[in-house]
């Protein structure tokens, strides 16, 4: 396990995302919403990620998850398969009533694996992947079959 961790941290590696649940949270109120729900500071540059716990109103631990800022007003949240339904409920019950934040669960068929690490971009650029950006996630790449 240590060798895999070091390879991803220092070079490049593939991550199987099948066991994870992924949410997309977007809208003009997203940053304020996430800053209220999470422990760590989510106000990071686009493309950066934040690993953070979620706490309940009394400061008790609910979950830990990773959030990737994909646009100024959009984040992708990655959480464990077991925690997914519980985290989804927590996020949805705390959505602002003014509609400034949208919450969407990403279907499992839309994800398989992810390339990560400091050399990931070079590997992806050499592959036969083609860019298929969406308005919310302009850096997303998918293999054309």
């Amino acid at each position: 396990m240590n060798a895999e961790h070091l390879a991803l941290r220092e070079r490049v590696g593939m991550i199987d995302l099948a066991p994870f649940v992924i949410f997309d949270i977007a809208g003009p109120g997203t940053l304020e919403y996430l800053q209220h729900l999470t422990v760590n500071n989510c106000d990071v540059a686009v493309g950066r990620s934040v690993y953070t716990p979620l706490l309940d109103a009394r400061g008790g631990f609910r979950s830990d998850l990773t959030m990737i800022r994909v646009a100024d007003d959009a984040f992708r949240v990655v959480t464990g398969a077991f925690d997914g339904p519980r985290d989804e409920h927590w996020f949805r019950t705390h959505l602002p009533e003014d509609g400034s934040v949208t919450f969407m669960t990403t279907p499992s068929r839309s994800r398989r694996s992810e390339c990560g690490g400091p050399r990931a971009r070079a590997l992806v650029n050499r592959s036969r992947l083609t860019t298929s950006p969406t308005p919310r996630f302009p850096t997303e790449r998918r293999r054309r079959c």
Side-chain angles (χ1 to χ4, degrees), residues 1-17 20 49 66 78 113-121 123-124:
M1 176 85 90
N2 192 42
E4 288 89 353
H5 167 80
L6 290 175
L8 185 60
R9 182 180 176 101
E10 297 171 359
R11 295 179 303 281
V12 64
M14 295 299 291
I15 304 165
D16 179 10
L17 295 178
F20 295 96
S49 63
T66 300
V78 181
S113 61
E114 183 172 294
C115 184
R119 296 184 190 166
R121 187 173 302 276
L123 178 65
V124 169

Side-chain angles (χ1 to χ4, degrees), residues 44-58:
V44 297
V46 172
R48 301 291 300 189
S49 63
V50 176
Y51 176 72
T52 186
L54 295 178
L55 303 180
D56 64 22
R58 294 185 289 172

Side-chain angles (χ1 to χ4, degrees), residues 1 8 14-23 51 63-68 76-85 87-88 105-114:
M1 176 85 90
L8 185 60
M14 295 299 291
I15 304 165
D16 179 10
L17 295 178
F20 295 96
V21 175
I22 298 176
F23 309 125
Y51 176 72
S63 182
D64 61 334
L65 42 79
T66 300
M67 293 190 287
I68 303 113
R76 178 157 283 173
V77 177
V78 181
T79 189
F82 181 76
D83 294 321
D87 291 344
E88 179 177 359
T105 302
T106 303
S108 61
R109 71 180 183 282
S110 69
R111 63 189 191 282
R112 297 290 184 259
S113 61
E114 183 172 294

Side-chain angles (χ1 to χ4, degrees), residues 66-131:
T66 300
M67 293 190 287
I68 303 113
R69 192 168 197 174
V70 296
D72 286 339
D73 65 347
F75 286 78
R76 178 157 283 173
V77 177
V78 181
T79 189
F82 181 76
D83 294 321
R86 182 176 49 201
D87 291 344
E88 179 177 359
H89 175 75
W90 186 252
F91 279 115
R92 286 189 185 278
T93 59
H94 290 88
L95 283 169
E97 293 180 11
D98 65 4
S100 64
V101 177
T102 59
F103 181 92
M104 188 172 69
T105 302
T106 303
S108 61
R109 71 180 183 282
S110 69
R111 63 189 191 282
R112 297 290 184 259
S113 61
E114 183 172 294
C115 184
R119 296 184 190 166
R121 187 173 302 276
L123 178 65
V124 169
N125 287 340
R126 284 194 325 256
S127 73
R128 297 188 71 201
L129 298 177
T130 59
T131 303

